Structure formats: C-alpha cells, structure tokens
Amino acid sequence: MRELLCLGISHKTAPVSLRERVALLTRDAEALCAELVELPEVDEAVAISTCNRTEVYLAAETGPAEAALLTALTARGGDSEELRAAAFRLTGRDAARHLFQVTAGLDSMIVGEAEIQGQVKRSFEQAQATGTTGPLTGDLFGSAIRAGRRVRSETGIGAGHSSVSSVAVALAADEVGELPGRKVVIVGAGETAELTASALAGRGVSTIVVTNRHTHRARVIASRFGGTVSALHDLPEHLLDADIVVSSTASPHT
C-alpha cells in the first residue's frame, strides 16, 4: 500500500556531528530524491535539510522505501547503526502533522523562528524542478506552507521575532557587553547572515564586515546595514581586531 512516509533526524534526536554528515546541499537533495523515485516502491520524494534537521518525505510502499532510504542516507553519512538509532519514522497523518509543525516553527530549536517556512518552501520547489513531486506531496506541502503562514499571521508565535541569529547576537552581548562600538565580522552571506546583520544593526553595531566567497551577495547585505565588504582571503587580517565573529555558510568544509 502506498502512503506518506517521513524519515529523518533533527536536533531532538541526533548530535550535531551526525546532522552534519547527513546534511544535504541543494544538489545532494535533488540527487537523493531523483535516486529514490527511480525505485519501483517510491512515487514521490521531497527532502528538507537545514542546520537542525534532515527529513525526507515519500509517497511510497513504506517498508521497502524506508529500507532503501536508510541505505541511501547511510551511504552519505556513514555508520548505519548510529543513523538508525537517531532516525524517526512517521507515516500517514503523523507524518503530515509533523510537517505542519515543522513549517509553523513549532519543532524548531528556537520555537516560532520564521526561517523554516522559507526553507520548506524552497525544498519543495527544488523537488518540483527535479520532477520528484506528485499529487500527494503537492497537496501536503502546499497545505503545510499555507498553514505556516496562517500560524504566523493569526497567532502570537512570531511576536518575539526570535531566530537563531537573534539569539546568537544576544549571547554575544552577554559575553562582550554593550555592542555599539564593537567590530563584528560575518562570514557568509546567506539568509542567516542577513538576519544576523539585521539583529546587530538593531543593537547599534555600526562596524560590520561581511566576507563571502561571492562578493555580490555580501555587498547587498553590507549596503543594507551600513557595513563593508571584504574578500575571503583577507579574513585573517580582520580576525585580529574583531570583537565578534559570526560564521554562517553552506560550505561543506572548514
């Protein structure tokens, strides 16, 4: 019988070392989903991979599909016993309910953070572009994304504007004291880096250096928050006099 299957790990079930090994860059997620739908027991596949979770949603024969998915993830992350011990398995309504909770920010490390909605939407759009979605995942993800928007607009869950970025900036303030006048270096220029720059500017930081492999995106963030752009090879020089360094990149290596 074909039904919805969700298999994954998150900050609630797995240490960061395992989450790092099983994390999927965009091309990895696309390749995994394409590999899975080639199997006779899998009709549709969508993979969500963020800092704190890797989850794969399938329309499939759940038994054979689960075994195939665990094998595929083990090939990417190693140590099948560790992965099996940390992985959660949900089917049918339980899997759908979980996706709704994830998209609403209820399952996040920072409850109510808004970034996850965009991450779920992009994951689904990537699967659509790869051709691995279908009627079940289409209805499921469309409904989850709409529900996530309603949660944010009709409840107070986002009133505190909490995010991992804002919490990191608050922690930095606890460590170094008042932030105005401090020099902050941000490594990376993605969504999390932009949220960090916004939180820093909101706390009065005027010296922000943004460094990234691609300077165009860094320039967008720096211009928005009054910072400057630096080439990545100049990072050691900036580290000498930085009060705070925030690293937030999608790089798979140090």
Side-chain angles (χ1 to χ4, degrees):
M1 177 181 176
R2 307 263 166 162
E3 66 174 325
L4 178 65
L5 168 67
C6 169
L7 187 75
I9 61 172
S10 73
H11 61 283
K12 293 183 176 180
T13 68
V16 67
S17 58
L18 179 58
R19 301 201 306 270
E20 285 178 340
R21 297 200 306 276
V22 182
L24 303 169
L25 298 178
T26 299
R27 61 180 179 273
D28 299 323
E30 292 172 348
L32 174 63
C33 290
E35 174 187 330
L36 290 168
V37 296
E38 287 295 316
L39 300 173
E41 59 266 29
V42 179
D43 292 335
E44 306 170 33
V46 181
I48 300 172
S49 189
T50 72
C51 302
N52 290 318
R53 73 182 68 250
T54 293
E55 300 178 359
V56 181
Y57 292 80
L58 304 177
E61 293 180 31
T62 56
E66 179 181 351
L69 178 52
L70 280 170
T71 298
L73 290 175
T74 298
R76 289 161 171 81
D79 197 336
S80 61
E81 290 305 315
E82 183 183 15
L83 179 58
R84 288 175 186 276
F88 57 84
R89 174 190 184 276
L90 301 167
T91 59
R93 288 187 177 184
D94 291 335
R97 184 180 297 108
H98 176 72
L99 179 62
F100 274 58
Q101 291 171 337
V102 167
T103 310
L106 295 173
D107 197 62
S108 298
M109 183 177 289
I110 308 298
V111 174
E113 57 94 8
E115 292 90 341
I116 188 63
Q117 273 188 50
Q119 292 166 331
V120 170
K121 185 173 184 289
R122 285 191 294 275
S123 297
F124 177 64
E125 289 172 345
Q126 288 160 6
Q128 277 185 311
T130 308
T132 62
T133 60
L136 195 156
T137 51
D139 287 347
L140 173 67
F141 276 79
S143 297
I145 292 164
R146 288 192 296 273
R149 293 195 192 107
R150 287 191 61 191
V151 167
R152 297 205 68 77
S153 63
E154 298 178 21
T155 75
I157 193 171
H161 302 289
S162 293
S163 67
V164 172
S165 301
S166 63
V167 171
V169 171
L171 177 61
D174 290 342
E175 292 294 324
V176 304
E178 293 297 319
L179 295 183
R182 303 288 185 176
K183 177 179 178 179
V184 182
V185 175
I186 299 176
V187 184
E191 182 179 8
T192 301
E194 184 172 2
L195 290 168
T196 301
S198 177
L200 288 164
R203 283 177 170 256
V205 176
S206 57
T207 307
I208 300 174
V209 178
V210 184
T211 181
N212 191 50
R213 285 173 293 175
H214 306 293
T215 57
H216 169 71
R217 178 63 183 163
R219 194 172 291 112
V220 170
I221 295 176
S223 62
R224 181 179 173 189
F225 299 105
T228 59
V229 177
S230 174
L232 198 57
H233 60 73
D234 291 330
L235 177 59
E237 179 182 336
H238 291 292
L239 294 180
L240 291 174
D241 58 353
D243 297 295
I244 301 165
V245 179
V246 180
S247 180
S248 173
T249 80
S251 174
H253 49 265
T254 304

